[in-house]
């Protein structure tokens, strides 16, 4: 009588692609085979990997990693400027406005500090607020221009500073304030404009916080003056007239 030899099926994770072969082979890395008795292995799909041979399944990529190709033995780290919160990811997420990821493989992006911002144009990196602007909050996607009457001379500003006395700014986004011109003054801080010196007073230098009174023997009957005029011969500056005009002797 003839004895018939029964062939055993290859177990999951193995395959045999040739008739008459007596050996089953392990599925290579990056592949798997879940069923017994197969003549080949299947590629690990996107978002999965398999670093070992002879496996019956693939492994989901961990958080902070991804793969968008087939037959992977490992997953790639999410690049700088992105994050990955999901398992089995095929792509990573760009950091949203106001956040950043400075190293690869992060599961979430971090908020920008006050004085910094990020948006699509900064490619996932927090960037200093420029001079003339500020941001007092964390996690923001923009900086705000300093309003008129204020300034910020440095980057990374979290506040704007009031213009000092004798100075002004009449527009937004200034990194410095302008000196009041001659004939004008400003006694308050944080102002948008300077004030004309009143009659009987003058300011001969830029940046005055107050105007000077005309000296004895002088007068000024215009506003915004940078000097006083001498009284003509036969006249004098009467204190009762506050230097606005001269009185005849």
């Amino acid at each position: 009588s003839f004895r018939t030899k029964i062939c055993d099926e290859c177990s999951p994770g193995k395959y045999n692609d040739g008739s008459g072969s007596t050996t089953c082979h392990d599925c290579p890395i990056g592949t798997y085979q879940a069923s017994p008795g197969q003549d080949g292995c299947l590629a690990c799909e996107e978002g999965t990997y398999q670093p070992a041979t002879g496996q019956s399944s693939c492994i989901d990529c961990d958080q902070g990693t991804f793969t968008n190709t087939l037959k992977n033995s490992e997953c790639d780290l999410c690049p700088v400027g992105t994050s990955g919160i999901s398992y089995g990811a095929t792509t990573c997420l760009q950091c949203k406005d106001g956040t950043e990821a400075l190293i690869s493989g992060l599961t979430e992006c971090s908020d920008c500090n006050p004085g910094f911002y990020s948006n699509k144009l900064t490619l996932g990196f927090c960037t200093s607020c420029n001079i003339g602007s500020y941001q007092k909050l964390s996690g923001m996607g923009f900086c705000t221009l300093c309003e008129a009457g204020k300034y910020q001379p440095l980057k990374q500003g979290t506040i704007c500073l009031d213009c000092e006395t004798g100075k002004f700014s009449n527009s937004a986004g200034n990194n410095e304030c302008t000196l009041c011109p001659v004939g004008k003054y400003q006694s308050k801080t944080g102002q948008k404009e300077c004030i004309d010196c009143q009659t009987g007073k003058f300011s001969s230098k830029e940046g005055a916080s107050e105007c000077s009174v005309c000296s004895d023997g002088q007068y000024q009957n215009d506003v915004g003056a940078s000097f006083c005029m001498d009284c003509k011969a036969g006249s004098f500056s009467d204190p009762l007239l506050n230097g606005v005009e001269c009185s005849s002797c």
Side-chain angles (χ1 to χ4, degrees):
S1 62
F2 294 97
R3 291 183 178 181
T4 303
K5 185 174 178 68
I6 299 175
C7 293
D8 294 324
E9 287 185 328
C10 292
S11 58
K14 296 180 182 291
Y15 73 101
N16 187 331
D17 58 357
S19 60
S21 176
T22 58
T23 304
C24 292
H25 307 289
D26 285 341
C27 288
I29 59 174
T31 68
Y32 75 104
Q33 181 50 259
S35 302
Q38 299 300 306
D39 61 359
C41 300
L42 303 174
C44 289
E45 298 178 356
E46 295 179 357
T48 68
Y49 73 107
Q50 182 49 260
T53 60
Q55 301 301 305
S56 60
S57 63
C58 296
I59 307 167
D60 282 344
C61 290
D62 201 359
Q63 291 175 303
T65 68
F66 78 105
T67 175
N68 55 15
T69 57
L70 302 176
K71 212 171 183 179
N72 288 284
S73 60
E74 61 182 0
C75 298
D76 299 317
L77 293 175
C78 287
V80 168
T82 69
S83 66
I85 191 64
S86 302
Y87 292 93
T90 59
T91 185
C92 298
L93 301 175
Q94 188 76 32
C95 289
K96 67 178 183 179
D97 288 2
T99 66
E100 70 176 354
L102 293 178
I103 59 175
S104 55
L106 292 181
T107 59
E108 59 181 347
C109 301
S110 303
D111 282 349
C112 295
N113 290 325
F116 292 81
Y117 75 101
S118 76
N119 53 40
K120 292 179 181 179
L121 298 178
T122 68
L123 304 177
F125 296 98
C126 293
T127 302
S128 301
C129 289
N130 211 341
I131 56 175
S133 67
Y134 75 104
Q135 180 50 259
K136 64 181 180 180
L137 302 176
S138 59
M140 300 302 289
F142 60 92
C143 296
T144 302
L145 293 177
C146 293
E147 63 188 56
K150 296 178 181 289
Y151 73 107
Q152 176 50 260
L154 304 175
K155 292 186 175 183
Q156 304 177 21
T158 57
I159 60 169
C160 292
L161 308 173
D162 284 342
C163 292
E164 297 90 351
T165 59
K167 296 182 179 182
F168 76 103
S169 73
N170 58 9
S171 61
N174 285 287
N175 66 317
E176 62 181 358
C177 297
T178 304
L179 293 171
C180 291
V182 295
K184 294 178 180 287
Y185 76 103
Q186 183 50 259
S187 59
K188 297 179 180 180
T189 60
Q191 298 303 301
K192 303 176 184 179
E193 59 186 1
C194 296
I195 305 167
D196 284 335
C197 291
Q198 297 174 334
T199 56
K201 295 183 178 182
F202 73 103
S203 168
S204 60
K205 294 182 179 180
E206 293 182 332
S209 57
E210 60 181 0
C211 297
S212 302
V213 177
C214 291
S215 302
D216 291 344
Q218 293 187 321
Y219 75 102
Q220 181 52 261
N221 55 9
D222 283 336
V223 298
S226 60
F227 60 93
C228 292
M229 297 173 286
D230 292 335
C231 291
K232 295 179 181 180
S235 64
F236 70 101
S237 57
D238 189 340
L240 296 176
L241 298 177
N242 297 317
V244 176
E245 58 182 294
C246 298
S247 299
S248 299
C249 295

